[in-house]
């Protein structure tokens, strides 16, 4: 396909923005923030180098002290966080890019050793995920979380709302709610993690309630056209099992979220194309699909088929700051180095080579 005919390189409306390309940098934890959650010194360079994609979605960023789970992840709820993120958003904007900050509450995917306050993690129910987590002193089992009281669930919704406001104050173009990958929002969906008996547990409607309340609160705070959400239907990692009702829960959830007029829905797609087609019919705004491990020769097929409006890529953009140029010129791609994904300095972060065009 000639590049000028390739739909990946055509403009697309996403919320209040017009993006030049239909390619997205997927959110990727890099664990290079300061211990207090302030983004690291190299983060502005890292994101600015990749500003040529249509849209950057930042690494998962905690909306509160209790939202942190992993070591050295950034926050967006203190003045220092806001100042740190402002450097990043300014650097991206200077390169003509757009960036949404992803709000991620880890929920039970938490180890107290990784957080400044060292408190027990919080979750829909007091059920551990049955896995380990890296800490400063090595791998440790994740302890049983504390179940949130009903009023604390509502306070957590407010934490997301305030963090979204802070993200906009920091210059972000919008926010993406992390409702995927076994973190707090998805923990509410899954009967294996949620055995609540209040209005946030039991029925499909109750288990979807937290996600809908978070999206509604943020949309009211910063505008629906700057609010987005990421979901991973069918994920079974870290003790998450959504059960036989899972597909129906997502159909209900997506239909309810669609009423809000959000900027986009970002789906981590695990291979059930018939179900993805159902989501496509239910969702009337921009749809981003991310297929982990997708081979290069299949890049663009979801946009070309109409299944998605945009496609998101993680490791390929991590390792190729000039991802767009390499696609356009059919140049070879750098290989990502998994040893440098998490923590460290410039190595494997801001030092990947670019083409000499």
């Amino acid at each position: 396909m000639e590049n000028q005919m390739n739909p990946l390189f055509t403009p697309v409306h996403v919320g209040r923005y017009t993006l030049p390309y239909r390619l997205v940098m997927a959110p990727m934890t890099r664990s290079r923030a300061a211990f207090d959650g302030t983004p690291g010194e190299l983060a502005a360079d890292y994101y600015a180098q990749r500003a040529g994609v249509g849209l950057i979605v930042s690494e998962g960023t905690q909306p509160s002290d209790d939202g942190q789970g992993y070591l050295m992840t950034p926050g967006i709820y203190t003045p220092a966080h806001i100042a740190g993120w402002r450097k990043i958003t300014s650097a991206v904007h200077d390169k003509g890019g757009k960036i949404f900050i992803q709000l991620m509450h880890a929920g039970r995917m938490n180890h107290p050793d990784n957080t400044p306050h060292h408190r027990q993690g919080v979750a829909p129910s007091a059920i551990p995920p049955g896995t380990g987590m890296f800490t400063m002193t090595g791998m440790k089992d994740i302890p049983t979380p504390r179940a949130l009281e009903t009023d604390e669930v509502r306070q957590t919704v407010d934490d997301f709302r305030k963090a979204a406001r802070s993200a906009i104050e920091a210059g972000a173009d919008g926010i993406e709610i992390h409702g995927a990958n076994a973190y707090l929002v998805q923990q509410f969906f899954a009967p294996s993690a949620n055995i609540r008996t209040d209005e946030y547990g039991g029925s499909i409607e109750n288990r979807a309630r937290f996600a809908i309340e978070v999206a509604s609160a943020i949309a009211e705070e910063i505008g629906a056209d700057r609010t987005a959400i990421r979901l991973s239907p069918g994920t079974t990692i870290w003790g998450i099992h959504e059960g036989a009702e899972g597909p129906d829960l997502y159909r209900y959830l997506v239909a309810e979220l669609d009423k809000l007029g959000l900027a986009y829905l970002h789906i981590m797609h695990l291979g059930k194309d018939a179900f993805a087609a159902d989501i496509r019919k239910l969702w009337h705004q921009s749809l981003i699909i991310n297929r982990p491990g997708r081979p290069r020769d299949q890049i663009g097929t979801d946009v070309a088929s109409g299944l998605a409006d945009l496609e998101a890529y993680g490791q390929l953009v991590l390792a190729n700051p000039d991802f767009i140029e390499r696609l356009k010129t059919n140049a070879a791609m750098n290989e990502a180095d998994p040893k440098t994904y998490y923590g460290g300095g410039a190595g494997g972060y801001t030092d990947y080579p670019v083409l000499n065009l």
Side-chain angles (χ1 to χ4, degrees), residues 13-176:
H13 293 289
V14 175
R16 66 175 61 181
Y17 306 109
T18 301
L19 306 179
Y21 304 123
R22 296 168 183 261
L23 290 158
V24 179
M25 176 176 167
M28 290 173 283
T29 293
R30 302 308 308 272
S31 295
R32 284 169 165 86
F35 197 66
D36 71 352
T38 302
E41 287 299 312
L42 292 170
D45 292 341
Y46 167 72
Y47 284 112
Q49 286 174 353
R50 291 154 181 81
V53 297
L55 173 67
I56 290 171
V57 184
S58 83
E59 62 207 280
T61 303
Q62 55 260 15
S64 64
D65 284 344
D66 284 333
Q68 184 173 1
Y70 298 101
L71 272 175
M72 317 299 273
T73 52
I76 185 63
Y77 55 94
T78 73
H81 299 161
I82 293 170
W85 276 107
R86 192 172 288 121
K87 295 177 185 176
I88 295 169
T89 61
S90 295
V92 170
H93 293 154
D94 286 347
K95 291 292 184 72
K98 293 280 190 289
I99 181 168
F100 276 42
I101 292 178
Q102 187 192 64
L103 299 183
M104 171 183 151
H105 192 304
R108 71 182 190 174
M109 292 303 300
N110 157 291
H111 198 288
D113 289 359
N114 290 345
T115 63
H117 55 68
H118 301 304
R119 286 196 293 266
Q120 182 182 19
V122 296
S125 301
I127 304 171
T131 188
M133 179 173 284
F134 187 77
T135 72
M136 289 292 278
T137 53
M139 287 295 292
K140 294 184 179 180
D141 288 339
I142 294 177
T144 299
R146 180 178 66 80
L148 291 161
E149 300 289 344
T150 302
D151 62 338
E152 290 179 309
V153 177
R154 298 188 186 112
Q155 178 58 50
T156 304
V157 172
D158 199 50
D159 289 342
F160 272 92
R161 180 185 63 77
K162 290 175 179 173
R165 171 52 56 194
S166 294
I168 296 303
E169 289 175 12
D173 298 294
I175 69 92
E176 179 181 284

Side-chain angles (χ1 to χ4, degrees), residues 1-10 327-330:
M1 185 185 291
E2 292 295 325
N3 278 333
Q4 59 264 35
M5 301 293 290
N6 190 331
L8 286 177
F9 305 125
T10 61
L327 280 181
K328 284 183 172 180
T329 60
N330 202 33

